Amino acid sequence: MMNKDEQFMALAINSASKGRYHTWTNPMVGAVVVKDGKVLATGYHHKYGDVHAERDAISKLTPEQLFNSTLYVTLEPCNHTGKQPPCSDLIIASKIKRVVISEIDPHGLVTGKGIKKLRSHNISVTTGVLTQEAKTLNKHYNFFYEHKMPYICLKQALSLDHKCSYPGKRLQITGKAAYEQVHRERADYQAIMIGSSTALIDNPTLLTSVKQDHPPIRIVLDRRGRLLNKNLALLSDNHAPTWLFTQNTKLTKFPYPPHIKVFLLHSGSLREVLQMLTQNNVQSIYVEGGPTLMKTFIEEKLAQELITYFSPTFLGNNALDGFEITENINLIKPDYQVLDKDIRISGRIDYV
């Protein structure tokens, strides 16, 4: 059974999840104010640039209600000024007696500083309550600041004979339910990545069905510059930022629409691409590229998660194989989901 701290923190975690799809580069955070064993207010970070969860909850109460109360918050309160003022100062000014924190913020601007500030003002601070549950909310954010690189998820769709498409042809293997799941899935990531072959053959829009202020950036790896002068949807629709990574200087001089940004590569390696994306604060990438791109991510041990949609069909010998895994890998705690006729298998990658 949960103790009282865990019960109130579970409520804060549930509140935090309401910000899903909308906090962009900010984490999802929830807060609950409790006094005399009763919940007085809940709050969460609604969207990027908006007030933080602590301020959202505190703003609903009077000074008398806040005095000597306990604040439960899923992530360490900030102690710096960004788009919002420091939450630590607000907590101190509100005369809150105790703060219970689930996760210490891995962002270097915050780590430990909020806790130190609160304790320096004689506020009791408890940490480590439902930490793993809180970390699950922001696994991309946490990974980015802990490892200084984006969280990479590979997504593939395969037939039962491990085929992915026919040469030079667009092919949708899975059914409507899986198609809709992928469109929602994309919204959890800050970028969607494909290679130039996928862009040319499939001409995808790489959009999501979830309405967002900051739709995922569409990333195309086009080292040779094959997309130059091509009439593709993602190059002309202006529906989401589109970033091209190339070694062809002609792309840097081409008069693309404003939603397109071109990055010139030197080595052309995948690690160089990820380094540039890290520098541009891209915390998570959903890779929908072809077998070659997928294989490179695995071989260089750069991917953290693999999602495979299996369709109960056989495409035959004329079809292209899915990416060949030559590495010994396992999926940690795989999740299985049935979507009409298709099966979705996902899990964190363990490079044995």
Side-chain angles (χ1 to χ4, degrees), residues 192-296:
I192 302 167
M193 179 184 288
I194 60 171
S196 58
S197 292
T198 300
L200 291 168
I201 294 169
D202 292 355
N203 191 19
T205 60
L206 301 183
L207 300 175
T208 172
S209 57
V210 178
K211 187 177 180 180
Q212 296 170 287
D213 291 337
H214 302 278
I217 300 161
R218 302 177 295 191
I219 296 172
V220 185
L221 305 188
D222 183 24
R223 294 176 180 85
R224 289 176 285 171
R226 300 168 70 196
L227 303 191
L228 196 65
N229 290 317
K230 297 298 182 180
N231 185 25
L232 299 176
L234 51 72
L235 297 180
S236 58
D237 63 14
N238 199 27
H239 289 326
T242 304
W243 294 0
L244 308 181
F245 286 80
T246 187
Q247 288 181 286
N248 188 333
T249 56
K250 291 181 180 179
L251 267 68
T252 64
K253 301 171 184 176
F254 192 78
Y256 285 115
H259 75 285
I260 295 177
K261 186 175 181 179
V262 179
F263 293 79
L264 187 62
L265 299 169
H266 298 288
S267 69
S269 70
L270 202 49
R271 288 184 182 276
E272 183 185 11
V273 172
L274 295 182
Q275 184 179 29
M276 288 182 172
L277 291 171
T278 299
Q279 291 169 352
N280 282 272
N281 203 30
V282 175
Q283 299 174 8
S284 58
I285 307 171
Y286 188 72
V287 180
E288 296 194 55
T292 302
L293 181 58
M294 299 278 192
K295 183 179 180 181
T296 305

Side-chain angles (χ1 to χ4, degrees), residues 29-46:
V29 183
V32 175
V33 180
V34 175
K35 190 172 183 179
D36 298 327
K38 296 180 181 179
V39 174
L40 300 185
T42 62
Y44 69 99
H45 183 42
H46 290 239

